[in-house]
Amino acid sequence: MKHPPPPPRRCGVVVAVVALVLLACLQIQYHHLKVDLGKAGFASGTQDNRIHSVTSRKPAPATTNSLSLPRGIVERHSDMYLRPLWDDSAAATHKSKKDDHNALLAMAVGISQIKNVDTMTRKFLKENYAVMLFHYDGNVDGWRHLEWSDKAIHILAHNQTKWWFAKRFLHPDVMAIYDFIFLWDEDLGVENFNPRRYLDIMVSEGLEITQPALDPDLSTDIHHRITIRNKMTKVHRRIYDNRPSMNCSDESKGPPCTGWVEGMAPVFSRAAWKCVWHLIQNDLIHGWGLDMKLGYCAQGDRSEKVGVIDSEYVVHQGIPSLGGPSLSSKTPRRSLDLRTHIRRQSSAELERFKERWNRAVREDEGWRDPFES
């Protein structure tokens, strides 16, 4: 006698219960995933960019955290213009429509150089260019009496170099509104220098990284022949030197014979600065070694895109203010000792920068030296 088959109802109940449990688990996992993605946000987007850049060797598409905002309200760039607290009508256009350039002068300054910095700043403000002063000696109030002081941006950090300041406060996203960045020392004489004419020449010559030539008769601290003014030219991009230690000729392809400027008074285009900012190392604050690699940021052939402008020249006074004696210093010997330590540190940083560059070249298998013959 055959037994009847078990009723299907019991099996159906078991299947339904299992399905409900699986569905609940999936819902919980989905909820956790949404929370994790929300927290990751920008970090996950940055990781995607890294993966994209490593695998494709092409620039990753720009990402933004503003996707939740209406497009018309998004302000993609910053600026350095000072805004009034009241009287909105007084906030006139900061840049005249007649201006051909929009530029920023940034300097690390100390109160002992106030007279020279005053002269330099006036020339740039006269052309409606922005000025940012990095105060390494902590004295900001000592500049308040100058009539232009409220027109400049003042940033204070004790005993830091201009490269340290530049890495923290001249990020390319903030500097994007400027066509040119002057990152200068405070001890330059500008009697024979006009910033507007200088930039006109830089543009007409197709230069991306430049410096003004140095007056050889009045400058007290000239380290490299390529920086010396040539009175017969408007711009020079190379030098000729038959000494065995230099051997600069038409065949020379790199610094210091061509494609090179010194770190005391560089001027960068917007595109060049975006590259240079990434080249500056956070901990190597003296910047030694950077000058030999600036040509990689020239947006092309450095022997054509990097040059020294002769017709607008300056005087390098060679005053080592940072780490030197102040106006009230009574211990010049100690100041001399500090300068010795600074120079030793600069030399040590130079070697570390060279090591980092060489290691980076070795480890990045996808990078090819554009200037390697």
Side-chain angles (χ1 to χ4, degrees):
M1 182 176 179
K2 295 182 179 180
H3 297 284
R9 183 177 179 182
R10 184 179 299 173
C11 293
V13 171
V14 173
V15 171
V17 171
V18 172
L20 288 173
V21 172
L22 289 175
L23 181 61
C25 291
L26 289 174
Q27 287 181 332
I28 292 173
Q29 288 181 343
Y30 176 70
H31 174 72
H32 287 169
L33 180 61
K34 285 180 64 178
V35 172
D36 290 341
L37 288 175
K39 290 180 178 179
F42 177 75
S44 63
T46 303
Q47 187 176 19
D48 291 341
N49 278 349
R50 287 177 181 160
I51 294 173
H52 178 91
S53 61
V54 169
T55 55
S56 68
R57 296 293 172 188
K58 295 180 180 179
T63 59
T64 177
N65 271 344
S66 61
L67 295 179
S68 59
L69 300 175
R71 283 179 294 179
I73 202 63
V74 173
E75 189 79 60
R76 297 190 180 277
H77 301 294
S78 182
D79 63 47
M80 293 295 169
Y81 296 132
L82 298 175
R83 310 291 176 175
L85 290 175
W86 61 88
D87 189 11
D88 222 20
S89 62
T93 303
H94 295 275
K95 185 173 181 291
S96 169
K97 292 181 179 180
K98 295 181 180 180
D99 290 348
D100 297 321
H101 316 297
N102 196 9
L104 169 79
L105 168 67
M107 293 184 289
V109 301
I111 196 66
S112 63
Q113 288 294 314
I114 187 171
K115 183 176 180 180
N116 195 64
V117 173
D118 178 35
T119 301
M120 297 169 69
T121 301
R122 289 176 184 275
K123 288 217 168 189
F124 281 81
L125 290 177
K126 184 179 179 181
E127 303 297 341
N128 258 347
Y129 298 158
V131 173
M132 182 182 293
L133 300 183
F134 305 130
H135 297 273
Y136 58 74
D137 62 354
N139 190 338
V140 178
D141 290 338
W143 301 75
R144 301 295 185 195
H145 67 283
L146 298 174
E147 64 182 38
W148 52 261
S149 181
D150 290 340
K151 299 178 182 178
I153 307 295
H154 299 267
I155 298 176
L156 184 154
H158 288 273
N159 294 325
Q160 301 302 314
T161 70
K162 70 177 183 181
W163 300 107
W164 183 93
F165 282 107
K167 188 65 173 179
R168 275 92 188 154
F169 301 104
L170 300 184
H171 190 280
D173 286 353
V174 179
M175 296 295 104
I177 67 166
Y178 297 108
D179 302 317
F180 300 97
I181 309 295
F182 291 74
L183 187 58
W184 279 16
D185 289 353
E186 59 183 332
D187 61 343
L188 301 175
V190 293
E191 181 180 354
N192 298 293
F193 180 84
N194 181 287
R196 178 183 293 277
R197 289 200 299 263
Y198 183 92
L199 292 182
D200 286 342
I201 295 171
M202 191 169 170
V203 171
S204 65
E205 292 286 333
L207 296 166
E208 298 283 338
I209 300 175
T210 64
Q211 76 159 80
L214 303 183
D215 186 330
D217 299 323
L218 300 178
S219 297
T220 60
D221 203 6
I222 296 179
H223 302 112
H224 302 276
R225 289 189 60 185
I226 197 171
T227 64
I228 297 176
R229 181 190 178 209
N230 185 340
K231 297 180 181 180
M232 305 301 293
T233 62
K234 182 170 61 175
V235 174
H236 69 269
R237 294 173 169 84
R238 62 171 61 245
I239 58 168
Y240 299 92
D241 195 329
N242 294 326
R243 292 178 298 171
S245 59
M246 291 288 288
N247 193 24
C248 295
S249 66
D250 283 326
E251 303 301 319
S252 302
K253 302 298 183 183
C257 299
T258 186
W260 184 83
V261 298
E262 197 169 1
M264 73 178 71
V267 184
F268 306 100
S269 70
R270 182 194 299 112
W273 177 249
K274 188 173 183 179
C275 170
V276 171
W277 184 88
H278 287 85
L279 183 63
I280 302 171
Q281 306 292 292
N282 279 319
D283 57 329
L284 306 184
I285 62 171
H286 292 286
W288 281 27
L290 281 175
D291 53 357
M292 291 295 179
K293 303 303 181 185
L294 292 178
Y296 286 88
C297 294
Q299 313 302 301
D301 185 349
R302 63 187 174 187
S303 65
E304 294 295 328
K305 297 291 187 178
V306 180
V308 178
I309 295 180
D310 297 297
S311 57
E312 299 297 324
Y313 57 98
V314 299
V315 173
H316 186 214
Q317 300 170 2
I319 302 174
S321 302
L322 178 59
S326 65
L327 291 176
S328 59
S329 174
K330 297 181 180 179
T331 56
R333 181 181 296 276
R334 174 172 171 76
S335 297
L336 180 60
D337 291 341
L338 289 176
R339 290 300 308 171
T340 300
H341 287 308
I342 288 174
R343 192 161 189 85
R344 288 174 180 169
Q345 178 67 23
S346 300
S347 299
E349 287 191 5
L350 171 61
E351 296 307 314
R352 289 165 65 187
F353 181 82
K354 289 180 179 178
E355 291 172 2
R356 288 186 190 179
W357 177 273
N358 293 335
R359 182 172 64 250
V361 170
R362 289 194 306 269
E363 295 177 351
D364 192 342
E365 296 179 358
W367 186 79
R368 296 291 179 269
D369 192 332
F371 304 118
E372 195 175 57
S373 57

